[in-house]
Amino acid sequence: MAAPKRLLALALAAPLLLSACTTDSAGDGGDGGSGGSGGGAGAEGDLVFSVVTHGSAGDAFWDVVQNGAEAAGEDLGIDVDYQSDGDPQRQAQLIDAAVNQDVDGIVVSMANPDALQGSIEDAVEAGIPVVTINSGGGRSTEFGAIGHVGQDEAIAGQGAGRRLAEDGAQNVLCVIHEAGNIGLEQRCAGAAEGLGGGISTVQVDINDLPGAQSTIASQLQTDPSIDAVLALNSAVAAVAVDAAQDAGSDAQVATFDLNADVISGIQAGDIAFAVDQQQFEQGYLPVVMLKLYVENLNTVGGGQPVLTGPAIVDAENVDEIADLATAGTR
Amino acid sequence: MGAIAVFSFFAVQSEVFRSPRGIANWLDPASTLGIMAVGVALLMIGGHFDLSAGVMTGTTALTVGIVAVEFRQNLWVAIGVALVVALAIGFFNGWLVTRTKLPSFIITLGTFLMLQGLNLGLTKLFTDTVTVGGIDDVPGYTAAEWVFASRLEILGAPIRVAVLWWLLFTALATWVLLRTRFGNWIFATGGDEVAARNVGVPARRTTIALFMTTAAAAWFVGTTLAVRLTSVQANTGIGQELIYIVAAVIGGCLLTGGFGSAVGAALGALIFGMTQLGIPYLRWDADWFYFFLGAMLLLAVLANRLVRRSAEAAPR
């Protein structure tokens, strides 16, 4: 009898111990903090902003957004809290949670605007300024957000398509790495527009890169007239380069988004260019915008989205950007 | 017990977590998960798994959206069609499992993958994109919103109506399990199917009915999603099936069948909901979310086990 009781006590005490540790680290996070995590938001004049994105944990792209938001928080002395969930309903619930905590401002990425509409409108109604980021710029004002910072997926796709056309591509394979992601579909559609037709799509799974490589290789073998592969993710770009070699194809590879592999690929001439949406700005700028609004009622963009891209990284400018990408800011 | 531990853990540290609005907030994810967990728990007590339960919420939500928006039908017609689709899938699962005697794990894994492909393929076929939107522009929406997605002010907290449905379904399932002949059949089938048959339990019919019950729960949750979010992504629900099973297991369902309760599964869902939103309330680093979630779950299961053991030991 004694042993189970002791174990039970341990099981109950463990969370309390855990919480003791986390209170400390929370205090560290909020420079000159508001006195631990207990009271939470809005204590004693310190601004607290919540950033709620649809990125899944560990996604390299969203890590840079988070870095941007946190860097801005540090520079401006604002407590920035970053949360994310790829499921639209759970993202909405995270926004509700931020509203309940009565934060001073909310930043939301809008992959699926319809699903977030209610929660964003609730935040606005509660008097909390909202800035939307990434996609969904068209609906931002309608929901009552004070501004939008992002890259329109379609416009970014068009930029990639035009560049591919300049490089002489005629038959482009657009690689979708996440089934059911609307933003990726919009990029391919935009690329088709920019190129003026001649785009086919293929579906791969981002969690199975070797499989993606063989799928791309098989497409290149089946249709030798494909002269360019457009990857929508930097990890896919790396395997697309290998796939072109496997298939003995001369197709050039272009991609969205940067990482170390893409940069060395551009430096080595294996990758023609990368469409960089400079997502660091999508984390940094909204924090600045919210601060300006909260303290001075300023708005940015005048009802139009503030575009962070597309910027093209190619052989000409890649060396300057290489170090920054390693540091997690590009 | 586990639920109380998790609640006190978060409530002690976060004022917002224990405020009425905060409670409404974390009851929300618990409710839809709970409705599924109760259905899945019944099936598990009956001795089977349904790996297609998660993606089926997506299938039904997409069916509601496509029938209503693309075929321009009244939303209630679409919801009815989705119910028929769900029950058909549930029947298919149950029939195949009882016919072939293959593990339900294999059969429903097949259904899971097929539905995942169908969800994406058909959505693109009908809408040329990967989402169905504009469900709120369809006739019948106002009434459907009232039933599936309205909010009730209780003590100043906007409680989602799904929470009430969750309580209702939990009560209903508990009554069926403990007070009806069908409930006895479920326990008997899950405990030992051959022995159950020998004493005259219609084990096959019970199994098929349980798969259809789970499917009906998926239909209800899928409809709630479609009505509430007004736009549905083709990848909705993938991966959720494991969460339902975990909630049922926390609630005391045995992986081998024959034991468990609907109330337990509902409490398992409650623990999940509290953890899911408790972590952002404490403003912990989101990168560690799944670690904390896992640790919470283990602690809850261990605490449950200890309590059950000492409770069982006491009278002897």
Side-chain angles (χ1 to χ4, degrees):
Chain A
M1 279 311 287
K5 264 191 192 154
R6 231 181 309 138
L7 262 175
L8 180 61
L10 190 71
L12 291 178
L16 297 175
L17 286 175
L18 263 176
S19 71
C21 306
T22 49
T23 310
D24 285 350
S25 61
D28 291 345
D31 279 326
S34 52
S37 59
E44 303 175 23
D46 280 354
L47 290 180
V48 180
F49 294 161
S50 246
V51 182
V52 184
T53 75
H54 68 275
S56 49
D59 183 321
F61 177 89
W62 288 101
D63 272 352
V64 177
V65 176
Q66 183 176 1
N67 288 343
E70 283 167 358
E74 221 159 276
D75 291 352
L76 303 173
I78 290 164
D79 196 354
V80 171
D81 181 38
Y82 180 92
Q83 301 285 344
S84 67
D85 202 308
D87 178 279
Q89 189 182 11
R90 287 199 292 270
Q91 195 194 353
Q93 286 158 351
L94 286 172
I95 299 169
D96 296 343
V99 173
N100 285 340
Q101 286 178 294
D102 205 17
V103 295
D104 302 294
I106 298 179
V107 181
V108 181
S109 73
M110 287 213 294
N112 188 339
D114 286 339
L116 302 181
Q117 182 167 13
S119 295
I120 292 176
E121 285 172 353
D122 284 353
V124 171
E125 207 169 294
I128 301 173
V130 175
V131 173
T132 57
I133 60 169
N134 201 246
S135 40
R139 309 283 299 277
S140 181
T141 326
E142 178 193 331
F143 294 175
I146 61 163
H148 179 88
V149 182
Q151 163 187 268
D152 188 278
E153 301 288 9
I155 292 177
Q158 287 162 16
R162 273 195 300 272
R163 173 62 189 252
L164 284 168
E166 278 170 31
D167 291 356
Q170 287 175 333
N171 187 1
V172 177
L173 181 69
C174 193
V175 187
I176 292 180
H177 58 264
E178 210 182 290
N181 182 327
I182 178 95
L184 302 182
E185 302 275 338
Q186 288 166 345
R187 284 182 185 175
C188 288
E193 240 170 83
L195 187 75
I199 285 226
S200 54
T201 60
V202 62
Q203 200 141 300
V204 300
D205 182 355
I206 186 71
N207 296 316
D208 176 19
L209 287 171
Q213 182 177 333
S214 41
T215 306
I216 297 169
S218 74
Q219 291 286 316
L220 291 173
Q221 279 161 344
T222 331
D223 184 356
S225 72
I226 294 174
D227 48 16
V229 178
L230 179 60
L232 306 179
N233 173 287
S234 38
V236 174
V239 297
V241 170
D242 294 340
Q245 273 164 8
D246 291 350
S249 159
D250 293 331
Q252 59 164 324
V253 175
T255 184
F256 278 69
D257 302 340
L258 292 175
N259 70 2
D261 286 345
V262 168
I263 285 175
S264 58
I266 295 174
Q267 283 168 332
D270 293 333
I271 296 176
F273 66 89
V275 180
D276 183 11
Q277 63 171 299
Q278 307 189 90
Q279 70 272 30
F280 188 80
E281 298 179 332
Q282 296 178 10
Y284 199 101
L285 291 178
V287 175
V288 177
M289 287 163 70
L290 284 172
K291 183 180 159 74
L292 283 172
Y293 182 82
V294 171
E295 293 178 348
N296 208 31
L297 289 177
N298 286 129
T299 54
V300 180
Q304 295 296 315
V306 178
L307 297 182
T308 61
I312 301 274
V313 176
D314 57 15
E316 280 173 27
N317 58 359
V318 65
D319 291 329
E320 299 159 17
I321 288 165
D323 291 341
L324 299 170
T326 326
T329 61
R330 283 298 290 264
Chain B
M1 185 68 218
I4 295 171
V6 173
F7 174 79
S8 21
F9 169 58
F10 286 116
V12 164
Q13 297 179 78
S14 165
E15 205 179 310
V16 193
F17 185 83
R18 57 177 191 265
S19 73
R21 291 192 75 90
I23 292 171
N25 203 182
W26 51 254
L27 277 179
D28 177 21
S31 62
T32 43
L33 169 58
I35 292 169
M36 284 310 293
V38 166
V40 167
L42 291 183
L43 182 65
M44 279 175 72
I45 297 169
H48 292 281
F49 289 102
D50 188 351
L51 294 182
S52 63
V55 75
M56 222 188 301
T57 62
T59 305
T60 48
L62 291 165
T63 308
V64 169
I66 289 173
V67 173
V69 177
E70 301 298 320
F71 291 90
R72 299 174 193 287
Q73 295 297 317
N74 186 293
L75 192 52
W76 288 101
V77 175
I79 292 172
V81 172
L83 177 60
V84 173
V85 169
L87 291 177
I89 300 169
F91 179 82
F92 174 78
N93 276 337
W95 180 79
L96 219 53
V97 164
T98 53
R99 263 295 143 145
T100 61
K101 306 273 185 240
L102 283 168
S104 51
F105 187 93
I106 303 294
I107 303 275
T108 56
L109 185 59
T111 321
F112 167 36
L113 295 173
M114 277 160 51
L115 288 180
Q116 186 177 349
L118 275 178
N119 283 2
L120 186 61
L122 289 181
T123 307
K124 278 184 97 164
L125 194 67
F126 284 118
T127 67
D128 291 325
T129 164
V130 291
T131 57
V132 191
I135 296 171
D136 50 348
D137 293 334
V138 171
Y141 180 77
T142 322
E145 191 190 22
W146 187 76
V147 173
F148 291 101
S150 55
R151 289 196 265 195
L152 309 142
E153 288 283 330
I154 298 173
L155 297 172
I159 303 274
R160 295 269 182 188
V161 70
V163 176
L164 295 188
W165 287 116
W166 173 38
L167 294 177
L168 182 72
F169 289 139
T170 308
L172 185 68
T174 306
W175 176 75
V176 168
L177 273 178
L178 301 180
R179 289 270 182 272
T180 66
R181 197 157 59 137
F182 185 65
N184 286 334
W185 290 350
I186 297 175
F187 279 110
T189 310
D192 185 340
E193 199 184 326
V194 180
R197 243 181 236 185
N198 289 341
V199 295
V201 171
R204 277 185 54 183
R205 259 197 292 150
T206 307
T207 303
I208 292 177
L210 286 175
F211 273 105
M212 290 174 77
T213 308
T214 307
W219 161 77
F220 193 90
V221 170
T223 306
T224 305
L225 279 177
V227 171
R228 179 162 151 192
L229 302 180
T230 71
S231 102
V232 187
Q233 284 180 200
N235 57 3
T236 300
I238 295 168
Q240 290 297 297
E241 59 284 337
L242 290 179
I243 310 259
Y244 307 149
I245 292 172
V246 168
V249 170
I250 294 176
C253 285
L254 290 183
L255 286 169
T256 46
F259 188 84
S261 73
V263 176
L267 288 176
L270 188 64
I271 290 179
F272 241 100
M274 290 193 290
T275 311
Q276 194 178 314
L277 287 171
I279 285 169
Y281 274 131
L282 296 190
R283 309 176 46 106
W284 281 348
D285 187 343
D287 292 349
W288 294 86
F289 174 79
Y290 283 102
F291 176 81
F292 287 119
L293 200 59
M296 283 288 169
L297 296 183
L298 279 181
L299 282 174
V301 177
L302 286 176
N304 278 345
R305 206 181 76 154
L306 286 168
V307 169
R308 198 186 316 134
R309 278 202 184 163
S310 50
E312 279 165 4
R316 280 171 209 165

